[in-house]
Amino acid sequence: MEKDRINILGGGPAGASAALSTIQCGVRVRVMERPRVVAEPNRHKVCGEFFSPEIESDLDRLGVWQDFAAAGPARIHRMVLHFGARSKSARLPEPGWGLSRYAFDEMLLRLAWERGAELVGRGAQGSLTTPGASGIAGSRDDSAEGREKIHILATGRRADGAITKGERLFGFKAHFDGPVDDAVELFFFNGCYVGINCIEVGKTNVCGLGPERELKRLGFEYDGILGQCGPLRDRLRPMHRVMPWITTGPLEFGQRMQPSSDGPLLAGDALSFVDPFTGSGLLAAVRSGTLAGKAAAQNSPASVYTEQVRSSLRTPFHAASFLRFMVRSGWAERLVGMVPGQLLFALTRPR
């Protein structure tokens, strides 16, 4: 028996995809988010902003692919990996896409609202605010609704404090203007990782991840941190930053794949946070959200949903762990010349 309404906590890509999927099943849905996010979903977020080729079919199943294409994403045809002084380039078997989270999050949440999702903002004291077509229209205090069961948890990644201070990971990101390219470039240096790819309207996203000790050594001055890598410094020389650096963390890799019989279904980063260099993070958010919405609407067992996600995303999850080990051990730089670039890309693709 289907539920009367599905309550989703979190309105990012996973939560909005879950809402759209629930609506497709003919079930009402409420998306709960912080009031600031409901009123202004198009905010910058630390993210690689790269969409792997498989995203087209996933968004098409949700009925939003044409909206994604209309947002003007950059087409990405090549990948270039830089390990110290060595590099590996390859043409992608199918084009990927570059679109800012600023545009993507707003698009998905707006479409969910237009198709019937109720969007509410949860305040610090449990109050709920209800948006109109162009933002917050009013508010109400409703403690009964505030205590309603959450069916899908899609609130993003959380660190549990298990990693020693100094070893924690922090992400950073900014947009740049300058020469555009059709490649996604990945730079590995001093324990850091930086990805670069074009997004809409000729902008370029520069997003990185680094250990606290290295970032602190350089005073968390991200322009200086990027200058520590020669190939990266050369790549950015003709470009200029058009927004302040934003940062997030601490971050922890891992999956929470143990289903709970009475807890909410986990989706997006709440379920799994994988290494950004696999390029599958946004796809994983959309896919897990879509599966969670359908499972919740149809009252499928949590174990069935978890196995669906695990089966679909097993390859990038395993590849992420293996590649992380190779990078940290120094073997990636030694072996990069022996492995075809297209094989490296194929190893990170979901089913």
Side-chain angles (χ1 to χ4, degrees), residues 320-338:
S321 298
F322 175 72
L323 291 173
R324 188 190 321 143
F325 167 76
M326 295 294 286
V327 169
R328 290 180 176 177
S329 66
W331 279 101
E333 184 174 352
R334 302 175 200 173
L335 299 178
V336 67
M338 304 179 187

PDB file of all heavy atoms in Angstrom, residues 320-338:
ATOM      1  N   ALA A 320      36.658   4.175  -6.549  1.00  0.00           N
ATOM      2  CA  ALA A 320      37.081   5.321  -5.749  1.00  0.00           C
ATOM      3  C   ALA A 320      38.056   4.892  -4.666  1.00  0.00           C
ATOM      4  O   ALA A 320      39.097   5.526  -4.449  1.00  0.00           O
ATOM      5  CB  ALA A 320      35.870   6.006  -5.128  1.00  0.00           C
ATOM      6  N   SER A 321      37.731   3.809  -3.967  1.00  0.00           N
ATOM      7  CA  SER A 321      38.616   3.331  -2.903  1.00  0.00           C
ATOM      8  C   SER A 321      39.967   2.903  -3.456  1.00  0.00           C
ATOM      9  O   SER A 321      41.024   3.207  -2.888  1.00  0.00           O
ATOM     10  CB  SER A 321      37.962   2.148  -2.173  1.00  0.00           C
ATOM     11  OG  SER A 321      36.768   2.549  -1.561  1.00  0.00           O
ATOM     12  N   PHE A 322      39.952   2.197  -4.588  1.00  0.00           N
ATOM     13  CA  PHE A 322      41.198   1.724  -5.189  1.00  0.00           C
ATOM     14  C   PHE A 322      42.061   2.886  -5.682  1.00  0.00           C
ATOM     15  O   PHE A 322      43.265   2.948  -5.414  1.00  0.00           O
ATOM     16  CB  PHE A 322      40.887   0.769  -6.337  1.00  0.00           C
ATOM     17  CG  PHE A 322      42.102   0.308  -7.092  1.00  0.00           C
ATOM     18  CD1 PHE A 322      42.984  -0.587  -6.506  1.00  0.00           C
ATOM     19  CD2 PHE A 322      42.375   0.771  -8.369  1.00  0.00           C
ATOM     20  CE1 PHE A 322      44.126  -1.009  -7.193  1.00  0.00           C
ATOM     21  CE2 PHE A 322      43.488   0.350  -9.058  1.00  0.00           C
ATOM     22  CZ  PHE A 322      44.371  -0.547  -8.467  1.00  0.00           C
ATOM     23  N   LEU A 323      41.437   3.835  -6.385  1.00  0.00           N
ATOM     24  CA  LEU A 323      42.195   4.972  -6.911  1.00  0.00           C
ATOM     25  C   LEU A 323      42.729   5.851  -5.790  1.00  0.00           C
ATOM     26  O   LEU A 323      43.826   6.408  -5.898  1.00  0.00           O
ATOM     27  CB  LEU A 323      41.310   5.787  -7.856  1.00  0.00           C
ATOM     28  CG  LEU A 323      40.943   5.097  -9.177  1.00  0.00           C
ATOM     29  CD1 LEU A 323      39.938   5.925  -9.954  1.00  0.00           C
ATOM     30  CD2 LEU A 323      42.182   4.854 -10.028  1.00  0.00           C
ATOM     31  N   ARG A 324      41.961   5.982  -4.702  1.00  0.00           N
ATOM     32  CA  ARG A 324      42.451   6.759  -3.566  1.00  0.00           C
ATOM     33  C   ARG A 324      43.721   6.139  -2.987  1.00  0.00           C
ATOM     34  O   ARG A 324      44.685   6.829  -2.676  1.00  0.00           O
ATOM     35  CB  ARG A 324      41.369   6.835  -2.486  1.00  0.00           C
ATOM     36  CG  ARG A 324      41.694   7.789  -1.337  1.00  0.00           C
ATOM     37  CD  ARG A 324      40.707   7.645  -0.191  1.00  0.00           C
ATOM     38  NE  ARG A 324      39.360   7.445  -0.672  1.00  0.00           N
ATOM     39  CZ  ARG A 324      38.477   6.648  -0.077  1.00  0.00           C
ATOM     40  NH1 ARG A 324      38.813   5.956   0.995  1.00  0.00           N
ATOM     41  NH2 ARG A 324      37.258   6.521  -0.554  1.00  0.00           N
ATOM     42  N   PHE A 325      43.714   4.803  -2.869  1.00  0.00           N
ATOM     43  CA  PHE A 325      44.904   4.108  -2.386  1.00  0.00           C
ATOM     44  C   PHE A 325      46.081   4.319  -3.329  1.00  0.00           C
ATOM     45  O   PHE A 325      47.217   4.576  -2.900  1.00  0.00           O
ATOM     46  CB  PHE A 325      44.618   2.614  -2.243  1.00  0.00           C
ATOM     47  CG  PHE A 325      45.855   1.773  -2.060  1.00  0.00           C
ATOM     48  CD1 PHE A 325      46.510   1.735  -0.836  1.00  0.00           C
ATOM     49  CD2 PHE A 325      46.372   1.046  -3.125  1.00  0.00           C
ATOM     50  CE1 PHE A 325      47.672   0.980  -0.674  1.00  0.00           C
ATOM     51  CE2 PHE A 325      47.523   0.284  -2.976  1.00  0.00           C
ATOM     52  CZ  PHE A 325      48.164   0.253  -1.742  1.00  0.00           C
ATOM     53  N   MET A 326      45.833   4.236  -4.643  1.00  0.00           N
ATOM     54  CA  MET A 326      46.909   4.387  -5.621  1.00  0.00           C
ATOM     55  C   MET A 326      47.513   5.787  -5.566  1.00  0.00           C
ATOM     56  O   MET A 326      48.735   5.956  -5.655  1.00  0.00           O
ATOM     57  CB  MET A 326      46.380   4.101  -7.026  1.00  0.00           C
ATOM     58  CG  MET A 326      45.916   2.666  -7.236  1.00  0.00           C
ATOM     59  SD  MET A 326      47.282   1.488  -7.138  1.00  0.00           S
ATOM     60  CE  MET A 326      48.100   1.799  -8.692  1.00  0.00           C
ATOM     61  N   VAL A 327      46.653   6.800  -5.401  1.00  0.00           N
ATOM     62  CA  VAL A 327      47.150   8.173  -5.347  1.00  0.00           C
ATOM     63  C   VAL A 327      47.964   8.395  -4.075  1.00  0.00           C
ATOM     64  O   VAL A 327      49.064   8.950  -4.108  1.00  0.00           O
ATOM     65  CB  VAL A 327      45.967   9.171  -5.416  1.00  0.00           C
ATOM     66  CG1 VAL A 327      46.438  10.586  -5.100  1.00  0.00           C
ATOM     67  CG2 VAL A 327      45.322   9.123  -6.800  1.00  0.00           C
ATOM     68  N   ARG A 328      47.440   7.951  -2.938  1.00  0.00           N
ATOM     69  CA  ARG A 328      48.128   8.179  -1.664  1.00  0.00           C
ATOM     70  C   ARG A 328      49.444   7.409  -1.571  1.00  0.00           C
ATOM     71  O   ARG A 328      50.397   7.862  -0.939  1.00  0.00           O
ATOM     72  CB  ARG A 328      47.216   7.797  -0.507  1.00  0.00           C
ATOM     73  CG  ARG A 328      46.054   8.751  -0.319  1.00  0.00           C
ATOM     74  CD  ARG A 328      45.177   8.333   0.846  1.00  0.00           C
ATOM     75  NE  ARG A 328      44.120   9.301   1.092  1.00  0.00           N
ATOM     76  CZ  ARG A 328      43.181   9.155   2.010  1.00  0.00           C
ATOM     77  NH1 ARG A 328      43.151   8.051   2.758  1.00  0.00           N
ATOM     78  NH2 ARG A 328      42.257  10.076   2.176  1.00  0.00           N
ATOM     79  N   SER A 329      49.507   6.239  -2.193  1.00  0.00           N
ATOM     80  CA  SER A 329      50.721   5.424  -2.114  1.00  0.00           C
ATOM     81  C   SER A 329      51.792   5.851  -3.103  1.00  0.00           C
ATOM     82  O   SER A 329      52.935   5.419  -3.013  1.00  0.00           O
ATOM     83  CB  SER A 329      50.361   3.950  -2.358  1.00  0.00           C
ATOM     84  OG  SER A 329      49.906   3.773  -3.695  1.00  0.00           O
ATOM     85  N   GLY A 330      51.420   6.716  -4.069  1.00  0.00           N
ATOM     86  CA  GLY A 330      52.378   7.149  -5.076  1.00  0.00           C
ATOM     87  C   GLY A 330      52.417   6.259  -6.304  1.00  0.00           C
ATOM     88  O   GLY A 330      53.111   6.577  -7.278  1.00  0.00           O
ATOM     89  N   TRP A 331      51.672   5.161  -6.307  1.00  0.00           N
ATOM     90  CA  TRP A 331      51.688   4.248  -7.441  1.00  0.00           C
ATOM     91  C   TRP A 331      50.985   4.831  -8.657  1.00  0.00           C
ATOM     92  O   TRP A 331      51.295   4.463  -9.794  1.00  0.00           O
ATOM     93  CB  TRP A 331      51.054   2.922  -7.055  1.00  0.00           C
ATOM     94  CG  TRP A 331      51.992   2.031  -6.315  1.00  0.00           C
ATOM     95  CD1 TRP A 331      52.054   1.810  -4.968  1.00  0.00           C
ATOM     96  CD2 TRP A 331      53.039   1.242  -6.889  1.00  0.00           C
ATOM     97  NE1 TRP A 331      53.069   0.937  -4.661  1.00  0.00           N
ATOM     98  CE2 TRP A 331      53.699   0.566  -5.831  1.00  0.00           C
ATOM     99  CE3 TRP A 331      53.493   1.029  -8.200  1.00  0.00           C
ATOM    100  CZ2 TRP A 331      54.767  -0.289  -6.035  1.00  0.00           C
ATOM    101  CZ3 TRP A 331      54.553   0.176  -8.411  1.00  0.00           C
ATOM    102  CH2 TRP A 331      55.187  -0.474  -7.348  1.00  0.00           C
ATOM    103  N   ALA A 332      50.023   5.723  -8.458  1.00  0.00           N
ATOM    104  CA  ALA A 332      49.291   6.286  -9.596  1.00  0.00           C
ATOM    105  C   ALA A 332      50.243   6.996 -10.549  1.00  0.00           C
ATOM    106  O   ALA A 332      50.163   6.825 -11.767  1.00  0.00           O
ATOM    107  CB  ALA A 332      48.216   7.253  -9.096  1.00  0.00           C
ATOM    108  N   GLU A 333      51.171   7.788 -10.005  1.00  0.00           N
ATOM    109  CA  GLU A 333      52.109   8.512 -10.865  1.00  0.00           C
ATOM    110  C   GLU A 333      53.025   7.554 -11.616  1.00  0.00           C
ATOM    111  O   GLU A 333      53.380   7.786 -12.765  1.00  0.00           O
ATOM    112  CB  GLU A 333      52.943   9.485 -10.027  1.00  0.00           C
ATOM    113  CG  GLU A 333      53.868  10.352 -10.858  1.00  0.00           C
ATOM    114  CD  GLU A 333      54.575  11.400 -10.031  1.00  0.00           C
ATOM    115  OE1 GLU A 333      54.235  11.552  -8.837  1.00  0.00           O
ATOM    116  OE2 GLU A 333      55.473  12.073 -10.570  1.00  0.00           O
ATOM    117  N   ARG A 334      53.381   6.445 -10.980  1.00  0.00           N
ATOM    118  CA  ARG A 334      54.276   5.492 -11.622  1.00  0.00           C
ATOM    119  C   ARG A 334      53.586   4.678 -12.709  1.00  0.00           C
ATOM    120  O   ARG A 334      54.199   4.312 -13.717  1.00  0.00           O
ATOM    121  CB  ARG A 334      54.840   4.524 -10.575  1.00  0.00           C
ATOM    122  CG  ARG A 334      55.586   5.208  -9.443  1.00  0.00           C
ATOM    123  CD  ARG A 334      56.001   4.196  -8.380  1.00  0.00           C
ATOM    124  NE  ARG A 334      56.287   4.857  -7.114  1.00  0.00           N
ATOM    125  CZ  ARG A 334      56.544   4.221  -5.991  1.00  0.00           C
ATOM    126  NH1 ARG A 334      56.547   2.893  -5.968  1.00  0.00           N
ATOM    127  NH2 ARG A 334      56.798   4.885  -4.883  1.00  0.00           N
ATOM    128  N   LEU A 335      52.305   4.387 -12.522  1.00  0.00           N
ATOM    129  CA  LEU A 335      51.616   3.482 -13.429  1.00  0.00           C
ATOM    130  C   LEU A 335      50.736   4.182 -14.452  1.00  0.00           C
ATOM    131  O   LEU A 335      50.184   3.526 -15.341  1.00  0.00           O
ATOM    132  CB  LEU A 335      50.745   2.509 -12.622  1.00  0.00           C
ATOM    133  CG  LEU A 335      51.495   1.596 -11.637  1.00  0.00           C
ATOM    134  CD1 LEU A 335      50.496   0.734 -10.873  1.00  0.00           C
ATOM    135  CD2 LEU A 335      52.499   0.713 -12.371  1.00  0.00           C
ATOM    136  N   VAL A 336      50.579   5.506 -14.341  1.00  0.00           N
ATOM    137  CA  VAL A 336      49.619   6.203 -15.193  1.00  0.00           C
ATOM    138  C   VAL A 336      49.917   6.011 -16.673  1.00  0.00           C
ATOM    139  O   VAL A 336      49.015   5.947 -17.512  1.00  0.00           O
ATOM    140  CB  VAL A 336      49.574   7.715 -14.843  1.00  0.00           C
ATOM    141  CG1 VAL A 336      50.888   8.406 -15.207  1.00  0.00           C
ATOM    142  CG2 VAL A 336      48.398   8.396 -15.541  1.00  0.00           C
ATOM    143  N   GLY A 337      51.191   5.882 -17.034  1.00  0.00           N
ATOM    144  CA  GLY A 337      51.520   5.726 -18.440  1.00  0.00           C
ATOM    145  C   GLY A 337      51.169   4.368 -19.007  1.00  0.00           C
ATOM    146  O   GLY A 337      51.134   4.187 -20.232  1.00  0.00           O
ATOM    147  N   MET A 338      50.900   3.391 -18.140  1.00  0.00           N
ATOM    148  CA  MET A 338      50.647   2.027 -18.598  1.00  0.00           C
ATOM    149  C   MET A 338      49.168   1.723 -18.803  1.00  0.00           C
ATOM    150  O   MET A 338      48.827   0.709 -19.421  1.00  0.00           O
ATOM    151  CB  MET A 338      51.214   1.019 -17.583  1.00  0.00           C
ATOM    152  CG  MET A 338      52.681   1.191 -17.283  1.00  0.00           C
ATOM    153  SD  MET A 338      53.210  -0.034 -16.060  1.00  0.00           S
ATOM    154  CE  MET A 338      54.896   0.547 -15.753  1.00  0.00           C
TER     155      MET A 338
END
